[in-house]
Amino acid sequence: MRTQVAIIGAGPSGLLLGQLLTRHGIDNIILENRSADYVLGRIRAGVIEQSAADVFDEAGVGARMRKEGLLHDGTQICFDGRRHRIDFRALAGKPVIVYGQTEITRDLMEARAASGATTVYEALDASLHDFSGDKPRVRYRKNDQDFEIECDFIAGCDGFHGVSRQSFPAGAIRNFERVYPFGWLGLLSDTPPVSEELIYIHHERGFALCSMRSHTRSRYYLQCSLADGVEDWSDDRFWEELKRRLDDEARAKLVTGRSIEKSIAPLRSFVAEPLRHDRLFLAGDAAHIVPPTGAKGLNLAASDVHYLSEGLIEFYRKGSPAGLDRYSERALARIWKAERFSWWMTTLLHKLPDASDFDRKLQHTELEYLVSSEAAQKSMAENYVGLPY
Ligand code: FAS
Ligand code: PHB
């Protein structure tokens, strides 16, 4: 088989890149080692920046998001049992869109199927070859048969545990990482949200987040120990712990119900540099991970793909490598700012196990400063709604 761009991974990054390239007449094949149903079954991000929404529009997959997504003009920060609103519209001039990653992925899958572009699901043991020359190749196995794809470029969109970043030659990539000593226990339920906007809660028992997918479907998170397994958390235990961390008004409004999904995600900050080795590029979680506190993971994937697709389109349309040569530096500039913000939100809001009394006083002072300073709120708002591309 031959294509122009071989994409590894059919998560949001791979599907979005594939859709943009296809719309510009650039042939591409996506290899995904899981089934489409498995990919759709993963419950992840919920908040879309306007800039990412614009990329989804450009890819022709923004219609349902614009119709069904919820526009949020602000968010709530809760500590000491009191809520404080951060007004995105007033402080940063725009809202965010609350729309589940699952739905974006579904929209991208449907658009790709309609375009006739090739996605190979359950493509196993992908291996990347000769990407330092001008004839890169990707090999994979499907139904006990071996296949090989010749291509011009390989886009590694295969997430943190994928094969692409691991395929960089030894010494050709540097990893920067911070692992947090706690996880997020997430629960999805067909119950009405406790408030119109998201509530980020700093509590002595641990962080909690009240989010949503619609007016009838809620998404909640509790900071939990990394020693916890999902089996340790019955629905009843989850709801009782969440009630302890909610303020009085939210506790009174909380509607509990059966979980339709429950999972624990570890939290880490991670960046790989550079994002390119000759004809192999990294985008999305293959290149970086952020703690979900700042709702940046999916949105960074969108900006990476925006930059990379621009470079590839310029290469095929004008024969210029300039955009591809700038990709890594351009993407990393925005990635590191999102890493900073996600780290700041995480250390501000979570119960930090190894914090001294001084650290805890400083954390509380940071919260008090945020809710009492317009300048501090403006900084949070401009980062939360998304810095410019
Ligand atoms: P993804 O990991 O989504 O997709 C990579 C794809 O590549 C997967 O489908 C995988 O099966 C495939 N793949 C892997 N190895 C392969 C191989 N060798 N061959 C072929 N295919 C391969 N972000 C937020 O903003 N908010 C959140 O609340 C949030 N929660 C998250 C919870 C979890 C458990 C995780 C892991 C991430 C979460 N994220 C969250 C971040 C998440 O939304 C990512 O940023 C987003 O999925 C990035 O998309 P991709 O880069 O496509 O990576
Ligand atoms: C979610 O709804 O899944 C969500 C929202 C905001 C975050 C993280 C996750 O910061």
Side-chain angles (χ1 to χ4, degrees):
M1 265 184 281
R2 165 127 187 84
T3 190
Q4 290 174 299
V5 181
I7 299 172
I8 317 294
S13 297
L15 287 167
L16 182 58
L17 179 62
Q19 185 62 11
L20 289 167
L21 296 181
T22 300
R23 283 171 72 89
H24 285 84
I26 298 169
D27 191 59
N28 62 88
I29 293 177
I30 299 180
L31 299 181
E32 165 59 51
N33 64 356
R34 299 286 189 167
S35 69
D37 286 345
Y38 182 92
V39 174
L40 275 177
R42 292 186 303 227
I43 305 300
R44 289 189 174 167
V47 173
I48 311 283
E49 295 172 359
Q50 286 297 336
S51 302
D54 294 345
V55 180
F56 295 135
D57 284 338
E58 193 191 321
V61 297
R64 193 162 70 98
M65 170 194 66
R66 297 288 183 188
K67 182 166 166 275
E68 297 175 13
L70 304 174
L71 280 184
H72 279 209
D73 287 344
T75 196
Q76 316 266 333
I77 302 286
C78 179
F79 64 102
D80 297 343
R82 288 175 293 128
R83 271 194 240 170
H84 308 266
R85 184 166 190 266
I86 308 294
D87 186 337
F88 299 147
R89 183 87 69 175
L91 294 161
K94 52 185 154 181
V96 292
I97 302 171
V98 172
Y99 186 70
Q101 174 173 321
T102 304
E103 301 316 316
I104 278 286
T105 305
R106 196 189 314 277
D107 297 338
L108 282 162
M109 283 178 173
E110 287 173 4
R112 186 160 181 90
S115 75
T118 304
T119 306
V120 182
Y121 285 99
E122 296 171 298
L124 306 179
D125 304 332
S127 57
L128 283 50
H129 306 274
D130 302 332
F131 45 82
S132 287
D134 58 4
K135 289 192 185 316
R137 289 172 298 120
V138 177
R139 291 195 188 126
Y140 68 94
R141 203 160 49 79
K142 169 105 177 157
N143 301 331
D144 294 328
Q145 257 196 290
D146 292 327
F147 295 87
E148 181 172 282
I149 299 172
E150 283 187 11
C151 53
D152 299 332
F153 299 101
I154 303 171
C157 299
D158 46 351
F160 184 66
H161 300 289
V163 65
S164 299
R165 193 178 67 251
Q166 313 300 340
S167 300
F168 275 53
I173 200 163
R174 278 189 70 190
N175 295 331
F176 302 84
E177 185 171 48
R178 171 186 290 251
V179 178
Y180 298 89
F182 41 78
W184 273 23
L185 167 64
L187 180 145
L188 193 67
S189 57
D190 279 333
T191 55
V194 287
S195 85
E196 287 295 309
E197 296 179 330
L198 274 56
I199 309 176
Y200 287 85
I201 302 163
H202 169 77
H203 191 278
E204 61 185 9
R205 296 179 66 88
F207 168 82
L209 171 59
C210 302
S211 184
M212 62 194 78
R213 291 293 178 269
S214 69
H215 294 308
T216 59
R217 178 165 285 192
S218 295
R219 179 73 170 162
Y220 293 104
Y221 294 96
L222 292 176
Q223 174 182 347
C224 67
S225 161
L226 285 173
D228 286 357
V230 174
E231 64 283 356
D232 300 321
W233 285 88
S234 67
D235 287 5
D236 288 347
R237 183 186 174 197
F238 184 96
W239 295 122
E240 285 316 303
E241 184 57 37
L242 176 63
K243 283 176 189 169
R244 291 190 187 97
R245 301 184 192 183
L246 292 177
D247 60 272
D248 295 344
E249 183 190 341
R251 189 178 304 113
K253 284 190 174 176
L254 179 66
V255 176
T256 65
R258 185 180 60 79
S259 62
I260 51 179
E261 190 272 352
K262 214 166 22 182
S263 54
I264 292 180
L267 270 65
R268 136 194 359 257
S269 297
F270 173 87
V271 181
E273 289 190 0
L275 304 186
R276 173 192 191 180
H277 189 78
D278 296 331
R279 288 183 174 241
L280 170 59
F281 294 85
L282 301 178
D285 276 17
H288 46 72
I289 294 288
V290 284
T293 328
K296 290 294 154 218
L298 176 60
N299 292 300
L300 271 184
S303 49
D304 291 352
V305 167
H306 168 75
Y307 300 137
L308 181 54
S309 63
E310 274 196 339
L312 288 164
I313 291 160
E314 182 187 37
F315 176 84
Y316 283 108
R317 191 163 285 173
K318 299 179 184 166
S320 163
L324 292 175
D325 292 345
R326 282 186 58 226
Y327 166 68
S328 183
E329 179 194 356
R330 197 176 173 204
L332 283 167
R334 192 170 192 272
I335 290 162
W336 274 109
K337 294 188 183 77
E339 290 283 346
R340 182 209 69 81
F341 176 66
S342 304
W343 162 82
W344 174 77
M345 282 278 278
T346 301
T347 50
L348 175 71
L349 293 164
H350 286 74
K351 179 179 180 181
L352 306 174
D354 52 2
S356 65
D357 289 348
F358 180 82
D359 297 333
R360 274 189 286 276
K361 286 296 282 183
L362 215 52
Q363 184 183 43
H364 195 272
T365 305
E366 184 76 24
L367 285 160
E368 287 288 2
Y369 172 63
L370 173 63
V371 300
S372 60
S373 158
E374 185 178 331
Q377 292 172 45
K378 197 172 176 65
S379 172
M380 177 182 165
E382 72 166 3
N383 280 279
Y384 195 96
V385 303
L387 296 177
Y389 276 24

